[in-house]
């Protein structure tokens, strides 16, 4: 073999060797996943299915601290027992996540809400040009553009705190308890003859005091969900306005501690022309974005969540409804749980013991007056 042939042979041998090594690497890449444990190529197991996301003792105590102002029976044992009714780890974890976001309004929270509502009411009225004009035209007013004097004038001469008229088939008794808190917490330093004691709307109309166009009638209650109860109250207000048409140009303000963001006063076509709603906090619902985000962070699908909701609503109430008019609220006040809250929080059955055992319905026990 000549030197040239020898060199060609060596080059060819080198190329073949490189090709074989390349093929071996490719084969290794292909086979390598199959040499790993099968668990390494399967989807990662979700913690929410296999492990509780909460500590039964510690978290039950934390929940008890939040709910201790509940006027019914509540204890750490009751909270643990309620959570243990949920059958699987997944179910228990979803219940825990909902409970961690649950809106519970203690007495202190309600007091804070009333002060906030008073501020929001005055801020709303500060935007009304017709009221500013009446204020400046009042001969007894000294400082015509002073905001503090304007607020004082509103409280003493313009605002009329009134009871929501009570329809025959629903209850608005809860407003009396709330007004008592409002008077103590929000009106202590600003009360007046008209402001301190609420009256039936008919009494204001019959008395005929003040300028009808600048009179502001203010109503208040704890919860506005679907607006059904408010619609019934407004029907009664309209009947009074038919008797006293001069007040049709007055303003009607409805204040609530919590309100469903889906509700729109304009949806009540017969609402008085100059009527508005203000509220302290939006009502949290089981499909609120805040809830869906936390479920998503734990890889809980919408279908799994939907199955959970239907299953436990049926256990508690015998049907899949998520509460009155399908509100599905996650809200409770220290004295009562609204009936538009998810049933498994408040509705008892032979198969279910609720956490808050009563609800705000027309047939419920009469509210305590304080």
């Amino acid at each position: 073999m000549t030197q040239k042939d020898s060199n060609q042979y060596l080059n060819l041998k080198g190329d073949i060797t490189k090709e074989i090594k390349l093929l071996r690497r490719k084969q290794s890449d292909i086979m390598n996943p199959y040499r790993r444990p099968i668990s390494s190529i399967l989807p990662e197991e979700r913690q929410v299915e296999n492990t509780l996301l909460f500590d039964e003792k510690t978290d039950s105590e934390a929940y008890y601290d939040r709910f201790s102002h509940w006027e019914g029976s509540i204890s750490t044992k009751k909270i643990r027992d309620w959570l243990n009714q949920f059958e699987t780890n997944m179910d228990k974890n979803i219940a825990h996540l909902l409970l961690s976001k649950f809106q519970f309004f203690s007495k202190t929270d309600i007091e804070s809400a009333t002060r906030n509502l008073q501020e929001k009411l005055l801020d709303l009225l500060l935007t009304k040009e017709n009221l500013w004009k009446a204020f400046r035209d009042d001969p007894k007013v000294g400082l015509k553009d002073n905001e503090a004097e304007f607020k004082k004038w509103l409280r003493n001469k313009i605002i009329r705190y009134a009871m929501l008229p009570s329809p025959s088939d629903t209850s608005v008794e809860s407003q009396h308890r709330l007004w008592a808190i409002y008077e103590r917490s929000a009106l202590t330093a600003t009360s007046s003859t008209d402001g301190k004691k609420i009256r039936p709307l008919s009494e204001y109309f019959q008395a005929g005091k003040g300028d009808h166009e600048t009179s502001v009638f203010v109503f208040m209650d704890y919860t506005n969900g679907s607006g059904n109860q408010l619609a019934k109250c407004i029907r009664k207000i309209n009947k009074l306005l038919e008797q006293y048409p001069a007040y049709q140009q007055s303003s009607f303000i409805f204040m609530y501690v919590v309100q469903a963001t889906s509700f729109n006063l304009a949806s009540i076509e017969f609402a008085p022309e100059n009527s508005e709603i203000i509220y302290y906090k939006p009502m949290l619902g089981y499909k609120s974005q805040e809830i869906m985000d936390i479920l998503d962070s734990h890889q809980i699908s919408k279908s799994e969540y939907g199955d959970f909701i239907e299953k436990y609503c049926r256990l508690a109430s015998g049907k899949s409804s998520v509460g009155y008019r399908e509100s599905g609220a996650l809200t409770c006040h220290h004295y009562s749980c609204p009936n538009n809250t998810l049933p498994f929080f408040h509705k008892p059955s032979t198969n279910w013991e609720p956490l808050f055992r009563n609800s705000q319905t027309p047939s419920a026990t009469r509210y305590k007056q304080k």
Side-chain angles (χ1 to χ4, degrees):
M1 181 182 294
T2 65
Q3 184 64 39
K4 182 180 179 180
D5 291 338
S6 178
N7 291 338
Q8 287 179 342
Y9 171 75
L10 291 174
N11 290 337
L12 179 61
K13 183 180 178 182
D15 291 341
I16 292 172
T17 302
K18 289 179 182 178
E19 187 68 24
I20 291 172
K21 288 181 179 179
L22 182 62
L23 288 172
R24 284 174 177 170
R25 282 199 298 272
K26 288 183 178 178
Q27 183 185 34
S28 176
D29 291 341
I30 293 170
M31 296 300 296
N32 190 53
Y34 299 99
R35 295 193 181 102
R36 299 199 304 267
I38 191 68
S39 59
S40 68
I41 60 173
L42 291 175
E44 185 179 348
E45 291 186 355
R46 293 182 299 175
Q47 183 183 4
V48 73
E49 288 181 284
N50 303 302
T51 308
L52 291 179
L53 301 176
F54 59 96
D55 180 272
E56 192 174 17
K57 182 177 185 299
T58 303
D59 284 287
S60 293
E61 290 174 352
Y63 287 137
Y64 175 74
D65 288 341
R66 279 181 57 205
F67 306 144
S68 60
H69 285 285
W70 171 246
E71 294 186 3
S73 174
I74 194 76
S75 66
T76 55
K77 180 180 183 302
K78 184 170 184 178
I79 294 167
R80 288 196 301 270
D81 290 346
W82 182 78
L83 284 168
N84 283 328
Q85 291 178 105
F86 296 92
E87 295 175 0
T88 66
N89 279 343
M90 169 79 85
D91 293 347
K92 288 180 171 64
N93 284 328
I94 293 176
H96 158 69
L97 293 173
L98 291 179
L99 200 57
S100 70
K101 294 295 182 180
F102 195 79
Q103 288 179 307
F104 181 82
F105 292 88
S106 67
K107 291 180 180 179
T108 302
D109 294 330
I110 298 297
E111 289 171 356
S112 176
T114 61
R115 292 190 291 270
N116 179 274
L117 286 170
Q118 169 73 355
E119 292 172 4
K120 285 188 173 183
L121 172 63
L122 294 175
D123 287 344
L124 173 64
L125 298 182
L126 280 172
T127 67
K128 305 298 181 182
E129 288 300 325
N130 67 315
L131 296 181
W132 274 104
K133 183 178 184 306
F135 169 68
R136 294 181 180 115
D137 290 345
D138 189 332
K140 295 183 179 180
V141 170
L143 302 173
K144 301 293 185 180
D145 292 298
N146 184 278
E147 188 174 291
E149 286 297 311
F150 181 53
K151 288 182 177 180
K152 181 179 179 181
W153 179 80
L154 290 171
R155 291 191 296 262
N156 293 335
K157 292 192 173 184
I158 299 302
I159 298 173
R160 307 284 185 261
Y161 295 112
M163 299 177 192
L164 283 163
S166 184
S168 59
D169 60 347
T170 189
S171 171
V172 286
E173 292 175 335
S174 53
Q175 65 178 316
H176 297 288
R177 165 178 283 216
L178 184 57
W179 277 116
I181 297 174
Y182 187 85
E183 289 172 2
R184 292 196 305 268
S185 299
L187 298 180
T188 300
T190 62
S191 59
S192 65
T193 303
D194 285 331
K196 191 169 177 66
K197 301 297 181 183
I198 63 168
R199 303 178 188 176
L201 187 61
S202 57
E203 287 188 11
Y204 284 118
F205 286 1
Q206 290 164 6
K209 293 182 179 179
D211 186 333
H212 301 153
E213 292 187 4
T214 58
S215 291
V216 177
F217 297 98
V218 178
F219 308 87
M220 183 167 57
D221 206 352
Y222 283 94
T223 304
N224 179 42
S226 66
N228 184 56
Q229 184 188 68
L230 177 58
K232 292 177 179 179
C233 293
I234 286 177
R235 287 191 186 99
K236 300 208 71 168
I237 292 173
N238 285 338
K239 288 183 179 179
L240 283 172
L241 289 174
E242 289 174 4
Q243 299 176 46
Y244 302 91
Y247 285 98
Q248 290 179 355
Q249 298 305 309
S250 300
S251 295
F252 299 86
I253 310 296
F254 303 95
M255 302 198 303
Y256 287 91
V257 175
V258 291
Q259 179 183 317
T261 54
S262 59
F263 173 76
N264 183 356
L265 186 62
S267 65
I268 302 179
E269 60 183 8
F270 46 84
E273 182 180 354
N274 300 316
S275 57
E276 298 181 69
I277 282 187
I278 54 179
Y279 60 94
Y280 174 57
K281 282 189 177 181
M283 181 183 292
L284 190 64
Y286 82 106
K287 284 189 175 180
S288 294
Q289 192 59 50
E290 183 178 350
I291 300 299
M292 302 312 292
D293 286 345
I294 194 172
L295 294 173
D296 185 61
S297 70
H298 290 285
Q299 299 177 297
I300 300 169
S301 70
K302 290 181 180 179
S303 61
E304 288 172 324
Y305 183 46
D307 290 343
F308 166 88
I309 293 294
E310 180 176 353
K311 175 181 178 179
Y312 289 102
C313 284
R314 283 190 182 280
L315 268 176
S317 66
K319 50 189 177 181
S320 60
S321 172
V322 296
Y324 182 71
R325 294 211 166 187
E326 300 300 311
S327 297
L330 293 167
T331 299
C332 185
H333 306 290
H334 63 88
Y335 75 99
S336 186
C337 189
N339 64 357
N340 60 353
T341 293
L342 287 170
F344 51 83
F345 281 100
H346 71 85
K347 199 168 184 63
S349 73
T350 55
N351 300 313
W352 193 257
E353 183 61 32
L355 187 57
F356 305 104
R357 195 188 173 102
N358 76 331
S359 62
Q360 182 178 312
T361 64
S363 60
T365 303
R366 292 182 64 86
Y367 305 105
K368 298 175 185 177
Q369 301 289 320
K370 288 188 178 181

